[in-house]
Every structure is written in structure tokens, then in C-alpha cells.
Amino acid sequence: MQGLMNGNTADPFTVLGPHDKGGERHVTTLMPGAQKLKARLDINGSEYELNSISPSEGLFSGPVEGDGSYKLVATSEAGDTWTYDDPYSFAPVLGEMDEYLMGEGKHYKLWKTLGAHVIRHEGTEGTHFAVWAPNARRVSVVGSFNLWDGRRHLMRRRGATGVWEIFIPGIAEGEAYKFEIVNAQGELQPLKADPVGFGSQHPPRNASVVRDIRGYGWSDSDWMKSRAARNVRTAPISVYEVHLASWRRKTDGRAISYKEAAKELVDYASEMGFTHIELMPISEYPFDGSWGYQPVGLYAPTVRHGPPHEFRDLVDAAHNKGMGVLLDWVPGHFPTDAHGLGQFDGTALYEHGDPREGFHQDWNTLIFNYGRTEVKNYLVSNALYWLEEYHADGLRVDAVASMLYRDYSRKAGEWVPNKDGGRENYEAIAMMQELNAATYGAHPGIMTVAEESTAYPGVSAPVDQNGLGFGFKWNMGWMNDTLEYMRQDPVHRKYHHDEMTFGITYAFSENFILPISHDEVVHGKGSMLSKMPGQTDEKFANLRAYYGFMWGQPGKKLLFMGQEFAQKAEWNHDTELDWAALDDHRHGGVKRLVRDLNTLYRAVPALHALDYDPQGFQWIEANDDTRSVFAWLRRGNADEPNVVVISNMTPVEQPGYRIGLPFAGDWREALNTDAEIYGGGGRGNMGKVTAEPARSHGQAASAEVYLPPLSTIFLVQDR
């Protein structure tokens, strides 16, 4: 009894609730603050006074006739009375199969078991709570419903799994709660949010919130049936990366809601011709300045924009507009906030105990222990959760390089080698392989994308070929090289010519996405426009030419919000984008250009169908460094027209530039970044060029082409 009253018992159900004593039912209950307590039978209203065993602690016990259900009626010293169902009169909710799968680390629907679930159990409405805390001596659910008193709802430990559970009658949607944990040494830990909680309070408050995520009425069945064809390597994929809190603010300064974004963001991205919206992390996070990359609630859509069903409204709306939704997903690290996963049950449970393995010096965060069965299960299940419960079309996995290597951003002596003495993190590699096998196996139409900045081989190779199994990989090398080139004054670009051509030497080694992401426009890097050299008009021309170069190269596309209209300042997560810039026709021109690039890219298979096939690309002119001209051929399938893309990266016009073309005849000038509607000078080829059967650049035909200064043109073969 003393251990129970101190809240230090591993199985309060052996003491509390109804128990047979000599053939008679006795009910024992703990209700601190009660002066009197009686049991009232549901069947006939008969009442039985329970004896006060410890008045100061609120422990009561006594016989209650029959075996039917009952309620407890408590009276305080002040005469206040309240009635409640006895949580210790209910049988367990979790079954043996749940315990088995959790023990095996193969419970791929972990969220169906752990967390807080609004259910009807044994005829009574309430919420079932379950949490993994294997090294705890005691775990309790606390909230305003029990005055945050850890003695009132002690949980039941479920055998060797380390899972604790309790069904609490009367707890419904919207109730805030945490877990109170006593460690193995009997020490009370900081209150913890639910690792599998579906909702959270609005920061800076940090309790979990009961959310009933059942019963959403999806209307995207047509999309779900067809999306596999939209996410494959041969499809046009152009991604609009969005930080929802700063995309657009409302007149009162608040961030846009999920329901508002379902209209405004979805309509805008659709109008711009993007095929996918990628949301920077929306799983709950405590610090706005982390942009979501330091998550605490991996199973909770951030409440900053609304509750879970409203996030589903956003995904559903995108699907009904024919667009996919990708989510940034962060399994690489988590913050040290006291209410989070760190030292969850008083031990290094989710993280490594050794800081050489378990602490990111760069980000002041903790690293998941990928080698622990339950932790790997937690992460893989979380990925599946977003795909299944929220119909996400894919996950972009953050900071993959930091997971692949044990010495990532560490000096000698600051890291622990693998079992073979090397730097590769075998456990993280195995987790990512299992992640990709599980997600593609359960949802074949989705995509996974790795943000990976090293030359690690086979990131997008299948797992059965010893690859990591991702569908796509960000091409960070291409991005760094080409932006370094574009920063140069055009007079110096001839010395950097290979920075624009080198990417093709490895372009087909992975399934690459060409990313201009948020990372390129923060921390003093300036905006894309500010990176460009020259006076203002030249900056715009350079940027337009670069976007044309990017959309003409092999690889899928990604552009961070604001860059589609050449935002002037670098991104600020505390304010909305500079939409007023569109009053300037040059910004509006860049916006129209990106829209038209997306339209052309999607309409012409040669620009996307063979992105990962060397047969789909051929340099026509890669060596004209003195004039900074680049020209290449994009091929589609046999019955599809070819495309020739030509970039002139100097502010000097090139009239009569002879370029080789694979076929004689007319070639339509399908897009010219110098067009007046884009803010350019309107110089070009009058809509077409005609190739004659005169060999040049190794091609069977050629034509004299006018190349406007600082421009990219697309010539599509007329058939």
C-alpha cells in the first residue's frame, strides 16, 4: 500500500479496482482530495460506502455487492461531489499480437497501439493511453482532468515490452495531457509529451492534446489511383517548397491556416504549374526558428495552422487539383527540450548514451539510436503514419549525410567507429533501407527523397541491390557548382565554365532532383536575385537565364517559395513573402517565366521522360568558354520531338551563332527567357529557326541562331 500511495508501483491494477476477497468483491481506489467515497451500481443505483484507509492520501476500500459495473462518487471536505468511472475496473486494451510485434520491432502501425486513442471500451467512452518507457518504475497520465496529480492515473505495465497503458473513461477530444514518469531510481522526471501524440498545445505550451483522427471523409480516390504514374522517374516532377508559416500571413499577422492554404496555396501552386507541393516539417516543434527541423511531436501536425483534420483538408485539396504533397521528414535528430524524447524514462532511450554517438554538436540536438529495435520501429512506423493517415505522396528525408557517417562534422577522437573500424553508420543505413522497403511496399505510388550531400553510392538504388532505396536524391553538387558560376561577373565566367558542365558527368548515377531550396536563401546568403551579378536589369536577366538552364537540364526540379518571382531579400521565417514585389513588372515577368517553364516541361516529354537515361541527353556545345555558350539536346522516346536548349551567359548578344541540330527543318522557339513578357528585351528568333542539312557540332544539320544576352532559349523540333 505504501508504494501505491507514493505512486511507485509498477502494477497498480493488482491493488486498485475490483478484486475478489474470500468470494466477495472489494473495490479499492485512490482519490486524493476526497473526504468520502462510495460506489454506486449502474444496474440499480445501490450505493456502498468505501472505508477510508488513509484519509491524508485519499485511499479508500470496501465491499461492493454483485459483479456489474459501477461508478465512484467522491465528496471533498468542502462538500463538493463528483462522479466518475473507475479506470481500474477496465480490462487491458492492448493484445498479445501488439506486444509480439512491438517486441519484434515490426509493428508498422505503431500509432494504432501507442498514443492517446478516443475509443469505446467495455461500453464506456474514454481515451486509451499507451507509452513505451521500459526503464521506468512508474508512469502516470496527468492533465487538468486529474489536477496534474500523478497518483490518480497510474498506468499498467505490459510485460517485457516496456509499454504502459490505461483506459481513462470520460477523456475526450481536446484534452491536454502529459506523462509523469518515475525512473528506476525512484526519481521524478520532467513531465513528458506523448512520443506518439496526435496533437499538441500551441507553443510555447507543450502538452500533448487528445485528437481523434478517425473518420475523415477523403475525396481523393481518383488521385490515389493515379498518383503512381505521377511520381515515377519518367514523369514531370516540379516541386514548390513551402514554409507554411511564412508563405502568406493574414491581415492580423497570423500564419495561414491549413484550411486557408487548401484554397490559397493550392490554387497558386496549381496556377504556377508545379506538380508537387513540398511542406517544410509540419510535425510539431517547439521553436519557430528551427522551421520545424527540430521536431518533438513526430506524429502531430503542428497546431500552428490548425488541427489534424484541417491538415487533411490541405492534402485533399491538393490532390483534387492534381498535385502531390511531399513532407519534409526529420529522423536525423531531435531537440533536448525537457518535455521531449531525451532521457525519456530517465535513461538514454531514444538516443545514444555516449555523446560521441548521440549528440549533434552543430545543432545542439540528440541523435536517434538507430540500432535499437524499438527506435527503428518508431521511425519507420512514423513514416508510414504520414503516408497512410494523411495521404502524403512522399517524404523528403532531411540531413541523410549526418546519418550515414559516424564522423559527420566531428574531429578525430570525437566519434565512435563502426564494428569494422570504419565511419559508416551501419545501423542508420539499415534503418533507411527498412524505411524505403516498408514505405514503397505498403504504398507503391509514393516517393521518398534523400537530402544527401556526399558521394555515398546507391542512394537511389534499390535495397535489393544494396542501395539505400530512395526514389530520388537532391543534387547538391549541381546546385553548388552552378550557383558558384552564376555568382561570377560574366567577364570571369570563362574561367568557371566547367562548373556548369561537370554535373553531367554524374547526372545519371542517381535519380536526381535539382534543388534551389530554402538553404540557399538564408543565413546571409541573400536571395536568388541578389546572388546574380550586374545592375538590376542584368540581375533579372541572369536569373531568368539560370532558371531556363535549370529547367532544361536532366533531373526533376525544386524551387523554394519566393524564388519563383525573384524575391529581393533573403527569406525571413517571421514574415510573409514579399508579395508586393509583383507590382514591379520584372518580378511579375520571372513569375510568368517559371509558370511557362513548368508548362513546357510538363508538355514536352523530351524534357522529363529520359531524365535518368544517358540516351536522353547529349551535349551539342559544351566547350565555348570564350562566349559562355552552352547547348545540349534533350531526347524523348522515339515518336516524340527533340528539344535543343541553348544558354548564353554573357551580356553580349550572339547573332548568327551557328549551332548543330540533329534534324533539318523547322524548330519552334518554344521559350525565350529574354521575351518581353518575362521582363526581357524581346530579342529572339521570330518564333522559329530553320535548320539546313549542313553538319555542325557533330550534328546532321545546323542553323544560325540569334542568342540574346543573358538568356536561355528552347527549340522544339516541329514534326
Side-chain angles (χ1 to χ4, degrees):
M1 283 293 187
Q2 190 62 41
L4 175 67
M5 291 191 295
N6 291 338
N8 289 327
T9 179
D11 190 1
F13 284 80
T14 60
V15 177
L16 299 177
H19 293 277
D20 183 271
K21 291 186 178 180
E24 185 178 44
R25 179 170 66 166
H26 274 244
V27 172
T28 302
T29 186
L30 184 64
M31 179 51 67
Q35 186 74 14
K36 296 181 180 179
L37 202 141
K38 53 189 176 183
R40 178 189 297 155
L41 296 182
D42 290 336
I43 192 169
N44 57 19
S46 298
E47 295 184 343
Y48 299 87
E49 191 85 27
L50 302 186
N51 299 320
S52 177
I53 305 301
S54 175
S56 61
E57 298 293 340
L59 183 65
F60 297 84
S61 185
V64 178
E65 290 184 3
D67 58 3
S69 60
Y70 60 89
K71 288 182 173 54
L72 297 173
V73 183
T75 304
S76 70
E77 188 173 4
D80 297 323
T81 300
W82 63 99
T83 302
Y84 62 98
D85 287 290
D86 183 359
Y88 297 97
S89 67
F90 291 88
V93 173
L94 300 183
E96 292 182 1
M97 183 56 70
D98 291 313
E99 293 189 68
Y100 173 77
L101 291 173
M102 285 187 286
E104 290 287 303
K106 298 296 182 182
H107 203 311
Y108 285 155
K109 293 190 178 183
L110 195 64
W111 71 92
K112 299 281 191 181
T113 297
L114 302 183
H117 294 268
V118 179
I119 62 172
R120 184 175 182 85
H121 182 45
E122 297 181 356
T124 300
E125 301 290 340
T127 296
H128 175 249
F129 297 89
V131 65
W132 180 58
N135 302 303
R137 179 182 293 183
R138 185 260 289 176
V139 182
S140 301
V141 183
V142 295
S144 58
F145 51 87
N146 63 13
L147 305 179
W148 300 90
D149 186 342
R151 297 171 297 171
R152 298 191 182 209
H153 288 108
L154 308 170
M155 302 178 78
R156 168 194 279 120
R157 183 174 182 131
R158 292 303 301 269
T161 62
V163 171
W164 302 70
E165 71 162 337
I166 190 172
F167 172 74
I168 304 180
I171 301 299
E173 166 96 16
E175 195 76 59
Y177 69 99
K178 285 186 176 181
F179 294 113
E180 183 180 280
I181 298 174
V182 174
N183 71 8
Q185 289 73 44
E187 300 163 334
L188 191 64
Q189 302 301 292
L191 292 181
K192 293 293 188 177
D194 189 346
V196 190
F198 303 142
S200 175
Q201 291 179 314
H202 199 290
R205 295 183 300 166
N206 54 37
S208 297
V209 174
V210 176
R211 292 292 184 189
D212 188 351
I213 64 171
R214 302 169 298 175
Y216 183 77
W218 290 99
S219 64
D220 63 349
S221 59
D222 288 346
W223 167 269
M224 296 297 281
K225 292 173 186 175
S226 67
R227 73 173 176 180
R230 305 168 189 256
N231 288 342
V232 293
R233 301 189 314 162
T234 55
I237 296 175
S238 182
V239 182
Y240 187 50
E241 185 191 24
V242 174
H243 178 253
L244 200 54
S246 59
W247 181 71
R248 194 183 292 277
R249 296 287 177 110
K250 309 314 287 183
T251 54
D252 59 1
R254 66 172 174 82
I256 195 170
S257 71
Y258 293 129
K259 288 186 76 68
E260 291 163 338
K263 175 64 176 173
E264 297 172 33
L265 171 61
V266 167
D267 284 354
Y268 178 80
S270 176
E271 173 196 330
M272 288 298 295
F274 290 101
T275 64
H276 293 72
I277 296 169
E278 179 179 317
L279 297 175
M280 289 166 65
I282 55 89
S283 52
E284 196 59 76
Y285 54 99
F287 175 48
D288 288 352
S290 78
W291 316 328
Y293 290 101
Q294 293 192 12
V296 165
L298 280 177
Y299 286 79
T302 178
V303 73
R304 288 168 174 84
H305 310 287
H309 275 352
E310 293 187 5
F311 175 61
R312 286 170 162 143
D313 290 339
L314 171 54
V315 177
D316 203 40
H319 289 172
N320 280 289
K321 277 283 190 177
M323 286 187 297
V325 177
L326 310 178
L327 304 180
D328 271 13
W329 187 60
V330 188
H333 60 124
F334 58 92
T336 58
D337 296 63
H339 70 286
L341 298 179
Q343 292 285 307
F344 188 78
D345 63 359
T347 66
L349 187 62
Y350 287 88
E351 72 273 29
H352 290 275
D354 188 336
R356 294 176 301 165
E357 296 183 276
F359 187 76
H360 265 309
Q361 302 170 83
D362 293 352
W363 303 318
N364 193 36
T365 54
L366 300 169
I367 302 171
F368 285 104
N369 182 353
Y370 306 108
R372 185 161 192 165
T373 298
E374 298 91 343
V375 173
K376 181 168 65 171
N377 192 179
Y378 174 80
L379 292 171
V380 173
S381 181
N382 182 246
L384 289 162
Y385 166 78
W386 292 105
L387 301 175
E388 179 166 328
E389 295 291 347
Y390 294 97
H391 285 200
D393 300 289
L395 302 172
R396 175 266 193 187
V397 182
D398 180 62
V400 169
S402 74
M403 293 187 278
L404 287 175
Y405 298 107
R406 288 172 165 268
D407 64 346
Y408 180 86
S409 195
R410 295 178 186 272
K411 300 174 184 176
E414 295 180 346
W415 57 283
V416 178
N418 61 36
K419 63 184 180 64
D420 297 319
R423 56 195 288 259
E424 294 80 9
N425 190 328
Y426 293 155
E427 294 79 12
I429 290 168
M431 186 278 290
M432 286 185 274
Q433 290 176 323
E434 184 171 334
L435 159 77
N436 285 307
T439 53
Y440 277 103
H443 303 280
I446 58 95
M447 69 165 75
T448 59
V449 182
E451 185 215 10
E452 205 284 308
S453 55
T454 74
Y456 186 91
V459 172
S460 58
V463 171
D464 60 9
Q465 296 177 22
N466 203 34
L468 292 184
F470 287 95
F472 300 90
K473 173 183 173 177
W474 276 17
N475 195 337
M476 312 293 281
W478 178 92
M479 177 271 298
N480 286 319
D481 288 347
T482 58
L483 284 183
E484 183 60 30
Y485 176 91
M486 294 304 299
R487 288 188 184 97
Q488 305 299 321
D489 188 295
V491 74
H492 300 306
R493 284 179 174 167
K494 61 185 177 181
Y495 305 115
H496 298 265
H497 197 77
D498 63 337
E499 290 174 345
M500 295 290 266
T501 60
F502 179 66
I504 294 299
T505 64
Y506 60 86
F508 309 106
S509 62
E510 299 274 6
N511 302 331
F512 282 122
I513 293 176
L514 309 183
I516 303 298
S517 75
H518 65 277
D519 280 332
E520 309 320 310
V521 292
V522 290
H523 301 319
K525 296 177 184 177
S527 67
M528 285 295 291
L529 186 64
S530 70
K531 297 180 198 298
M532 302 295 123
Q535 299 300 311
T536 302
D537 283 344
E538 288 179 322
K539 286 180 179 292
F540 276 99
N542 269 294
L543 186 58
R544 293 193 303 266
Y546 179 65
Y547 284 168
F549 181 90
M550 174 180 173
W551 258 257
Q553 289 274 292
K556 310 311 179 187
K557 324 300 175 190
L558 179 142
L559 199 63
F560 181 57
M561 65 181 199
Q563 306 320 310
E564 79 278 9
F565 61 82
Q567 174 149 313
K568 291 177 282 189
E570 75 174 22
W571 171 51
N572 180 353
H573 71 270
D574 284 327
T575 62
E576 72 171 5
L577 298 180
D578 182 17
W579 295 103
L582 288 168
D583 293 338
D584 183 328
H585 76 281
R586 294 170 298 187
H587 291 278
V590 173
K591 178 173 176 277
R592 283 188 288 273
L593 172 64
V594 171
R595 178 199 63 193
D596 290 352
L597 283 168
N598 277 334
T599 301
L600 181 66
Y601 167 69
R602 295 173 70 169
V604 180
L607 291 174
H608 62 255
L610 300 182
D611 268 336
Y612 307 118
D613 185 340
Q615 298 301 312
F617 177 91
Q618 182 183 351
W619 280 117
I620 294 174
E621 176 55 84
N623 301 310
D624 191 354
D625 53 357
T626 58
R627 291 184 286 184
S628 297
V629 171
F630 307 86
W632 62 94
L633 173 66
R634 296 298 306 276
R635 296 188 186 92
N637 295 314
D639 58 344
E640 294 162 349
N642 294 285
V643 179
V644 169
V645 187
I646 312 170
S647 293
N648 173 18
M649 293 300 185
T650 68
V652 178
E653 63 179 352
Q654 308 279 354
Y657 190 100
R658 182 159 290 275
I659 194 72
L661 295 167
F663 300 102
D666 289 342
W667 290 72
R668 175 171 56 94
E669 188 179 62
L671 190 145
N672 179 342
T673 66
D674 190 56
E676 288 185 11
I677 61 169
Y678 306 141
R683 295 153 291 192
N685 296 279
M686 304 298 290
K688 74 173 183 178
V689 300
T690 301
E692 56 189 9
R695 294 188 65 84
S696 182
H697 296 89
Q699 301 296 314
S702 63
E704 289 190 351
V705 180
Y706 179 88
L707 303 181
L710 298 172
S711 68
T712 297
I713 65 173
F714 289 73
L715 303 177
V716 178
Q717 178 188 5
D718 268 351
R719 285 192 171 184

